[in-house]
Structure formats: structure tokens, C-alpha cells
């Protein structure tokens, strides 16, 4: 048997499971790939060829729970330029689909139609729209025509100093463990 490393990561909060978000970055195109599964990062590195590098665990998202104030967070992907946009707005998902984006579903498949037969889109993550104890902001930046999501204030400051466009806080999440 060969140790092939960690295939996924799940953090436990008392009584709840959190959903991780991993990323891989391509400095040649400025595209960043985001996923719930670390094995999807490995697939991204394999399928997209040289250029993508794993950048690690970005944050943990809260679980869907009717007893909390979480809201759906949709993920849309543009095949032509590799851009990924996260939004809480169903209307924006439909609008982005008209611009060439596709909805990414939690199990990794892409929809061709955001709302087939009038059904609402399926969320990729759930997020707190306002800060709750123990959470940190998830920032959205536009870097060379690609959206970037991060929680680290130092990284955010560096991107802004290098000319990134600050698009604000999209919600609140849990920090990854230090290190």
C-alpha cells in the first residue's frame, strides 16, 4: 500500500459539519480553481496541464441549517476564460449564464440551464450573510479579469496594492486551521 495523502478534509464544529473550499492557481492566466474536494484540485492539475499550483484550504463554509441564518451561495464557471464567480443572487446566476457561465453543482456537474422547469438553482455552498461569532469575512477581488476569493487580510492588501479591484465581502465563513 502506498500512502497517497489526504483525499478530503472535513472540520467538525459541535453538532455540525463544515464544508471546506480548496483552491489551485494558474499564474499564467490568473485563473483560480475552487472546489469542495481536494481530489478535484488534483484533477484540475492533471486535466488542465502545467500552470496550476495547489494553493490550499481557503476556508470552511457553514452547513445548510434552517436554525441558522445561512443563505445559498452559487458558483458559476466560464469555460472560455476559466473565471469562477460566487454569488448569493439567483438572478445574477441566470444573467451570468447568458454571458457564457454555467452553474456548478455540489457534486461537480455543470448545468446547461440554471433553472430547468422553473426550479431554483442548487447552491454550491452556504454562507452567513452577516458576521456571527467565530467567523471571518470572505473577500471577493477581481484580478486581471478573474475573480479571486480569500480570507487572509495580508494577501488581500497585497492584491489591492498590485491593482486588484476590491469587490467587497460576499459573506462570512470559518477560518482554516493555522499553518
Amino acid at each position: 500500500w502506498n500512502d497517497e495523502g489526504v483525499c478530503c478534509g472535513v472540520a467538525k464544529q459541535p453538532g455540525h459539519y463544515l464544508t471546506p473550499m480548496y483552491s489551485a492557481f494558474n499564474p499564467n492566466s490568473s485563473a483560480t480553481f475552487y472546489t469542495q474536494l481536494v481530489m478535484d484540485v488534483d484533477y484540475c492539475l492533471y486535466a488542465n496541464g502545467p500552470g496550476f499550483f495547489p494553493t490550499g484550504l481557503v476556508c470552511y463554509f457553514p452547513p445548510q441549517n434552517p436554525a441558522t441564518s445561512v443563505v445559498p451561495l452559487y458558483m458559476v464557471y466560464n469555460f472560455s476564460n476559466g473565471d469562477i464567480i460566487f454569488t448569493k443572487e439567483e438572478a445574477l446566476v441566470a444573467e451570468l449564464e447568458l454571458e457564457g457561465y454555467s452553474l456548478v453543482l455540489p457534486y461537480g456537474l455543470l448545468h446547461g440551464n440554471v433553472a430547468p422547469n422553473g426550479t431554483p438553482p442548487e447552491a454550491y455552498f452556504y454562507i452567513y450573510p452577516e458576521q456571527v461569532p467565530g467567523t471571518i469575512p470572505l473577500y471577493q477581488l477581481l484580478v486581471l479579469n478573474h475573480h479571486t476569493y480569500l480570507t487572509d487580510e495580508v494577501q488581500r492588501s497585497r492584491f489591492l496594492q498590485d491593482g486588484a479591484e476590491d469587490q467587497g465581502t460576499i459573506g462570512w465563513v470559518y477560518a482554516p486551521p493555522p499553518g
Side-chain angles (χ1 to χ4, degrees):
W1 296 93
N2 291 328
D3 181 359
E4 295 181 357
V6 177
C7 73
C8 66
V10 178
K12 187 170 183 184
Q13 179 186 22
H16 301 284
Y17 289 94
L18 304 177
T19 304
M21 181 168 76
Y22 298 96
S23 65
F25 177 70
N26 185 331
N28 299 321
S29 67
S30 297
T32 305
F33 173 79
Y34 298 96
T35 182
Q36 295 178 5
L37 303 172
V38 74
M39 65 185 156
D40 284 351
V41 170
D42 292 339
Y43 176 76
C44 174
L45 301 178
Y46 169 77
N48 293 305
F52 274 93
F53 300 95
T55 50
L57 179 62
V58 177
C59 63
Y60 287 102
F61 286 88
Q64 179 183 13
N65 183 342
T68 66
S69 61
V70 296
V71 296
L73 187 65
Y74 307 106
M75 177 177 170
V76 291
Y77 176 73
N78 188 314
F79 282 100
S80 65
N81 68 10
D83 189 28
I84 291 176
I85 297 177
F86 286 102
T87 181
K88 298 176 285 200
E89 306 298 325
E90 281 185 39
L92 182 57
V93 172
E95 184 179 313
L96 288 168
E97 185 179 57
L98 296 174
E99 296 177 19
Y101 285 81
S102 294
L103 181 68
V104 180
L105 301 176
Y107 37 87
L109 301 176
L110 300 172
H111 254 245
N113 183 351
V114 170
N117 302 319
T119 59
E122 190 170 343
Y124 194 79
F125 291 115
Y126 288 85
I127 194 165
Y128 291 111
E130 297 179 12
Q131 189 165 22
V132 299
T135 61
I136 58 174
L138 178 63
Y139 302 110
Q140 177 175 296
L141 301 167
L142 186 61
V143 181
L144 299 174
N145 297 318
H146 287 91
H147 290 84
T148 298
Y149 300 88
L150 47 88
T151 57
D152 185 285
E153 188 63 45
V154 173
Q155 282 183 320
R156 178 175 176 257
S157 293
R158 275 194 218 125
F159 274 114
L160 294 173
Q161 287 173 356
D162 290 342
E165 178 186 324
D166 188 355
Q167 295 189 330
T169 300
I170 63 167
W172 280 261
V173 295
Y174 295 99

